[in-house]
Amino acid sequence: MTAGQPAPPPDADTLLEQLRARAADPARRTDTRPGGLGAIVGKLSLGGLGFGRSGGGASRRASATDVKAAEEALGLTLPPFLVRVYTEVADGGFGPEEGLLPLARVVAETRRLLAGDPLPRRRRWPPTLLPLVQVGPGWTCVDAATGAVIDWDPEDLTEWASAARFRESFAERSPSLEAWLGRWVTRKTAAERNKPSAAERQARWLARAGSPANRAIAARKAVAMAAQLSPAERAEMGLPEEGWEQVIFDSYAGDAAERPGP
């Protein structure tokens, strides 16, 4: 591997173990918290499909029966690693963005796209492309024929978009599911990326502690503590008999405007 190239994904078993660990962590299960229509639809039962559940979360795993029913409904064979993800990790509810769709929704959304409802007129959805993750108005998909991960971005499509423009709305995200999920499983969530590092937290604390207001507070506390000492004890500390309050205050507060009261 040369400099600048991404690290290769781990072997399938290791990757699945990493995915299970992240899927089991509610704080890291997805990149974002599901919301709006996507969260509502994800919780609805897609009745009439004859298999699986569409509930959210990442606790239930798909069964071999679920996979077989999905393949029969779609008329194609699911990529082997995708099958392992659904049967060995969870039936959706984890992964990039708001997470992978449950298998039942993969079938339902594929059927909707194949019917052409959300597409420009006269355009046909690629029959082997399965939507996995909703991204805005579009999808991140897997090509069941090649295993590649494909993004579909319809944002700039019009009702009468040309065939060329429609083709341009598809772009390869990753050559394989393994590579795509391998990058995701080690990537921080949005909350983690925004969380300050230990060095940043220390710098912020020092900045707050060094503010004029906080230095004045520390100075007043030091004056109050010294006031409990006898003149002899203050003298041992090198403080003058008179004006010791100002000496202590200045040593803490520096240029702070406030000064100790009488």
Side-chain angles (χ1 to χ4, degrees):
M1 182 180 67
T2 60
Q5 289 184 331
D11 64 86
D13 290 336
T14 300
L15 178 53
L16 288 166
E17 183 177 348
Q18 293 173 338
L19 291 171
R20 281 192 291 270
R22 186 157 178 179
D25 183 350
R28 304 183 69 245
R29 185 174 293 159
T30 62
D31 291 334
T32 58
R33 296 186 64 180
L37 181 61
I40 296 172
V41 174
K43 295 178 181 178
L44 295 177
S45 172
L46 298 175
L49 295 179
F51 60 94
R53 297 188 313 181
S54 60
S59 58
R60 177 190 180 273
R61 298 175 183 177
S63 66
T65 301
D66 295 333
V67 173
K68 181 179 179 182
E71 291 180 331
E72 290 178 350
L74 295 169
L76 49 76
T77 300
L78 298 180
F81 188 73
L82 183 63
V83 172
R84 293 195 66 183
V85 166
Y86 276 105
T87 58
E88 297 181 36
V89 180
D91 186 14
F94 74 96
E97 300 292 336
E98 293 187 2
L100 274 66
L101 300 178
L103 198 52
R105 275 203 67 198
V106 172
V107 174
E109 295 296 344
T110 302
R111 285 174 164 175
R112 186 176 67 88
L113 291 164
L114 287 171
D117 293 341
L119 306 182
R121 294 189 183 187
R122 298 199 299 265
R123 304 300 159 221
R124 294 185 179 277
W125 183 257
T128 61
L129 209 57
L130 309 178
L132 293 182
V133 173
Q134 189 156 21
V135 184
W139 296 96
T140 294
C141 313
V142 62
D143 189 332
T146 66
V149 176
I150 308 294
D151 280 340
W152 179 55
D153 182 4
E155 190 168 353
D156 296 329
L157 293 178
T158 64
E159 185 179 6
W160 294 100
S162 67
R165 182 66 193 88
F166 183 58
R167 285 194 300 271
E168 291 171 358
S169 66
F170 296 89
E172 182 175 300
R173 164 68 67 88
S174 175
S176 69
L177 277 168
E178 292 91 329
W180 177 57
L181 290 173
R183 286 195 299 271
W184 171 79
V185 79
T186 57
R187 190 170 67 227
K188 293 181 178 180
T189 64
E192 289 171 326
R193 289 194 297 272
N194 293 330
K195 182 178 181 181
S197 65
E200 290 171 330
R201 292 195 298 273
Q202 183 180 27
R204 292 179 185 178
W205 179 85
L206 289 173
R208 290 194 297 270
S211 69
N214 282 329
R215 283 188 284 124
I217 291 171
R220 287 195 294 272
K221 289 181 178 178
V223 169
M225 292 177 64
Q228 300 176 30
L229 303 176
S230 67
E233 289 173 325
R234 286 195 293 269
E236 290 179 1
M237 298 173 60
L239 294 173
E241 185 174 350
E242 296 182 1
W244 59 266
E245 299 96 331
Q246 192 67 57
V247 172
I248 292 177
F249 194 94
D250 288 345
S251 68
Y252 276 86
D255 296 331
E258 296 184 58
R259 290 293 183 265

